[in-house]
């Protein structure tokens, strides 16, 4: 079965600073060896956890989901997930915009 990339994005009201990304991809491709997330705000700022020296987040293939502490306020973000081969070349991409609004919901 061909690989079809897909992810979902969620937040919990109890921890609005954390965002969980879940890989919902179907199919398989033996050439995929790693995955990375690039999260960018409408103001073109890259969101990464504290201490990260790149503008993306490495996401191990062994984990179907990853939770990252990246927010201090509501943001609408563009999320790009890339599945890479052994040379770091992009094999597949999934890109979408997500409103991350749990901070605001707490004060309604």
């Amino acid at each position: 079965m061909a690989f079809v990339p897909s992810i979902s994005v969620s937040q919990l009201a109890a921890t609005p600073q954390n965002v969980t990304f879940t890989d919902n991809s179907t199919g398989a491709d033996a050439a995929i060896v790693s995955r990375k997330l690039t999260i960018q705000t409408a103001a073109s700022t890259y969101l990464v956890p504290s201490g990260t020296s790149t503008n993306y987040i490495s996401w191990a293939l062994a984990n179907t989901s990853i939770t990252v502490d990246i927010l201090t306020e509501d943001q609408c973000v563009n999320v790009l997930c890339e599945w890479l081969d052994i040379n770091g070349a992009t094999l597949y991409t999934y890109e979408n915009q997500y409103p991350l609004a749990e901070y605001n919901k707490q004060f309604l």
Side-chain angles (χ1 to χ4, degrees):
M1 177 184 218
F3 183 80
V4 178
S6 177
I7 66 167
S8 60
V9 178
S10 62
Q11 278 180 289
L12 296 174
T15 54
Q17 73 278 8
N18 294 333
V19 182
T20 299
F21 300 88
T22 303
D23 189 338
N24 303 315
S25 301
T26 58
D29 185 335
I32 298 171
V33 299
S34 63
R35 178 175 46 204
K36 71 178 184 179
L37 282 170
T38 305
I39 307 159
Q40 193 173 20
T41 69
S44 298
T45 302
Y46 292 97
L47 299 178
V48 293
S50 178
T52 302
S53 59
T54 60
N55 64 354
Y56 62 87
I57 301 165
S58 295
W59 180 6
L61 284 180
N63 301 325
T64 57
S65 66
I66 182 174
T67 300
V68 291
D69 181 348
I70 56 172
L71 296 176
T72 57
E73 62 185 359
D74 287 348
Q75 294 283 346
C76 185
V77 297
N78 185 72
V79 175
L80 171 65
C81 186
E82 298 173 82
W83 288 261
L84 311 171
D85 69 11
I86 197 161
N87 298 315
T90 301
L91 298 173
Y92 303 95
T93 62
Y94 180 87
E95 187 171 16
N96 207 347
Q97 291 77 40
Y98 295 91
L100 302 175
E102 285 301 324
Y103 275 101
N104 201 23
K105 289 179 184 177
Q106 289 184 17
F107 298 101
L108 287 176

